[in-house]
Amino acid sequence: MDYRAQPEKYKVGKGEQGVLICEPYKSEIGQFWRFKTPEIATESSKKILEMFYKYIEANDFVGADMARKYLQMGYTRARRYANYKGGKKYDKEHDYKALERGTGSEEKAKSAEIFYKAYKSAEANPIYASMKKDWKKLKG
């Protein structure tokens, strides 16, 4: 579904919900979403935050919300890799037993911090907050 053509169909949802299915935003934003190193995370989060502000300027709430979700997802995914080696929380070879936490990468912890700051900056934007409140009231 093209949410730019039919924005009224968009529901905010919880957290990162819908981030990987909401076109055309998935294609526009997703290509820049990277967190392998702090340098890459810095470049990625800056680009996505820039897109967030352009969506705000264009009065495109769906685009702004999707950019915010990608920033949040950058944080949560990098954090998982910081907490668990290879980003794997469970051992599927042994009945999905939880793997040891704290075995991940310090580099990913830095990437997570970079995305977290960008995510919180977007979320705190007063124009975005107002748009989100109005959207939820009118469309869900």
Side-chain angles (χ1 to χ4, degrees), residues 44-61:
S44 175
S45 63
K46 280 183 181 177
K47 176 64 178 172
I48 295 170
L49 195 56
E50 177 184 299
M51 294 174 84
F52 169 84
Y53 288 119
K54 285 184 179 177
Y55 290 128
I56 294 279
E57 269 181 42
N59 200 33
D60 182 348
F61 170 73

Side-chain angles (χ1 to χ4, degrees), residues 45-46 49 71 113-123:
S45 63
K46 280 183 181 177
L49 195 56
L71 293 169
E113 187 178 321
I114 290 162
F115 266 99
Y116 185 76
K117 287 178 183 171
Y119 155 59
K120 284 302 191 179
S121 172
E123 196 172 57

